Amino acid sequence: MAQQVREIMTPAPVTVESLTPLSEVAHRMRDEDLGAVLVIEHDELCGLVTDRDIVVRVLAEDKDPADTTAQSVCSPDLVTVTPDEDVGRAVQLMREHALRRLPEGKTAVGVISLGDLAIERDPESALGDISSAPPNK
């Protein structure tokens, strides 16, 4: 079983610049089969945008996705981990803050998700099975 976050995190996550229009973010999510992208500004992590953020903070508010930036809807106060941290610490942070994803530090080197944890710790569970399945097309 993996001991450090680096062993199970998704490396090189998809990032977008803070001023990227949400319409472009949504296209990236669709094309790369993602539920979230990291938002960067000046090469530093400044937020996370999920598909739910787009629906709740843009579409449900009747905002135009082409005129709304990633920075304006992202979750900016991120809880993060480092690749060297213990996986148990990542689990603790996810539980404590009710998170589905934890980015790595300030440089967006990786992300650890509930799916990553399920595949590593309980691959026979429903979540582990779903997380390891190929994407729906």
Side-chain angles (χ1 to χ4, degrees):
M1 193 176 322
Q3 298 301 311
Q4 293 181 320
V5 168
R6 80 169 67 256
E7 296 174 57
I8 64 173
M9 74 179 189
T10 301
V14 173
T15 62
V16 296
E17 291 289 331
S18 60
L19 298 179
T20 303
L22 262 293
S23 55
E24 186 177 321
V25 172
H27 287 121
R28 293 276 311 270
M29 292 171 125
R30 178 200 61 202
D31 295 346
E32 300 189 38
D33 192 39
L34 301 169
V37 297
L38 298 178
V39 181
I40 57 170
E41 186 170 74
H42 307 296
D43 296 323
E44 283 198 9
L45 181 64
C46 67
L48 175 104
V49 173
T50 67
D51 44 9
R52 187 175 192 285
D53 292 332
I54 294 171
V55 171
V56 173
R57 297 178 182 166
V58 180
L59 300 177
E61 297 295 325
D62 294 323
K63 294 178 182 174
D64 183 351
D67 294 330
T68 307
T69 64
Q71 183 179 34
S72 68
V73 300
C74 71
S75 300
D77 299 321
L78 299 176
V79 176
T80 62
V81 291
T82 66
D84 297 327
E85 283 191 77
D86 185 80
V87 171
R89 175 70 177 143
V91 171
Q92 176 188 4
L93 287 170
M94 291 172 107
R95 281 184 174 150
E96 185 178 317
H97 298 280
L99 300 171
R100 291 173 175 79
R101 299 167 189 88
L102 283 176
E104 182 286 324
K106 292 283 182 194
T107 56
V109 223
V111 173
I112 186 168
S113 70
L114 282 179
D116 296 330
L117 290 167
I119 291 168
E120 174 63 26
R121 296 222 161 162
D122 195 5
E124 301 303 316
S125 69
L127 182 56
D129 195 39
I130 291 166
S131 297
S132 63
N136 294 329
K137 294 295 176 181

